[in-house]
Amino acid sequence: EACRESPVDPVVGQESAWQWVQVFSHFTRHAVNQVPVTWTTPQGPRVVHTDNEGWSGIDFSPVIDGAHEIQALVISAFDSFEDKRAMGVTALASDPWEGLSVRFDGGPAHAWGEKTYFPRRKGEHTFKLFAPQNSPLFDRVLTLGMTGTGPGELGIQFLPAALGVSRMFYHVGLQYTFKAGDLKDASFALRLSSERLASLSPANAM
């Protein structure tokens, strides 16, 4: 039996966390379909049969924050042997993106996504990200992305390269620097992903 824990920490009231187990035959070593798996969550038990590849999964939607244990139980139809696996889910009380703030070119801090910024042509710009103490974003990898008009069309170059590059976010903040070309006027937006969150950040328009 193989386990696959949820790769994300769900936010209460927003998304579910999926847990998976794969069931194999002790005799053939092959995955087995239509095996009943009894899942036990804080919300009670539920039976989910395995699919053609031996996988059984359950979506757990937490109603309170904190650590939760999910158990999967498989009982052998041959000798009634019980195989139980426990997996953990950490639920977040609120969306961590709501606490993210940004300071553009040394100006006052604003909530990420709240204010539109206007980079100058041929200008070099810096923005720094901050989050409140004990934010779930800290000590996690953030990845910056760009939507709307692409960097090539605008001649935008990050120093060092940052788009699609994973960087660790510490309590001291995370700084990005980019140069804007002199090609054309257009709008774009920046978004972020975090390794343990299912949703992307809001878009911050530029």
Side-chain angles (χ1 to χ4, degrees), residues 150-189:
E153 294 180 70
L154 298 173
I156 288 178
Q157 181 181 9
F158 279 83
L159 308 169
L163 293 176
V165 177
S166 298
R167 295 178 59 185
M168 192 67 72
F169 187 29
Y170 298 111
H171 70 280
V172 294
L174 183 58
Q175 182 169 298
Y176 293 92
T177 300
F178 67 93
K179 286 184 176 180
D182 190 19
L183 300 181
K184 69 175 184 178
D185 293 326
S187 62
F188 65 96

Side-chain angles (χ1 to χ4, degrees), residues 101 103 127-134 137-139 167-175:
S101 60
R103 182 171 291 154
F127 62 93
K128 192 169 184 178
L129 305 176
F130 301 91
Q133 187 176 6
N134 299 322
L137 294 172
F138 288 143
D139 301 319
R167 295 178 59 185
M168 192 67 72
F169 187 29
Y170 298 111
H171 70 280
V172 294
L174 183 58
Q175 182 169 298

Side-chain angles (χ1 to χ4, degrees), residues 17-113:
W18 279 88
Q19 317 293 314
W20 297 89
V21 292
Q22 189 177 29
V23 179
F24 294 90
S25 167
H26 176 73
F27 302 100
T28 66
R29 305 297 182 186
H30 294 152
V32 186
N33 69 342
Q34 290 304 304
V35 175
V37 178
T38 301
W39 292 91
T40 302
T41 76
Q43 296 155 3
R46 194 196 320 174
V47 176
V48 181
H49 289 73
T50 58
D51 62 17
N52 290 335
E53 296 180 346
W55 287 103
S56 170
I58 189 173
D59 56 328
F60 169 57
S61 300
V63 295
I64 59 173
D65 61 306
H68 301 276
E69 184 177 271
I70 313 296
Q71 291 186 346
L73 172 65
V74 177
I75 301 176
S76 171
F78 176 72
D79 59 7
S80 299
F81 175 77
E82 295 187 1
D83 191 349
K84 182 183 291 185
R85 302 295 172 94
M87 289 167 273
V89 173
T90 299
L92 306 178
S94 59
D95 188 346
W97 295 124
E98 294 176 357
L100 186 68
S101 60
V102 59
R103 182 171 291 154
F104 188 81
D105 284 345
H110 292 274
W112 177 264

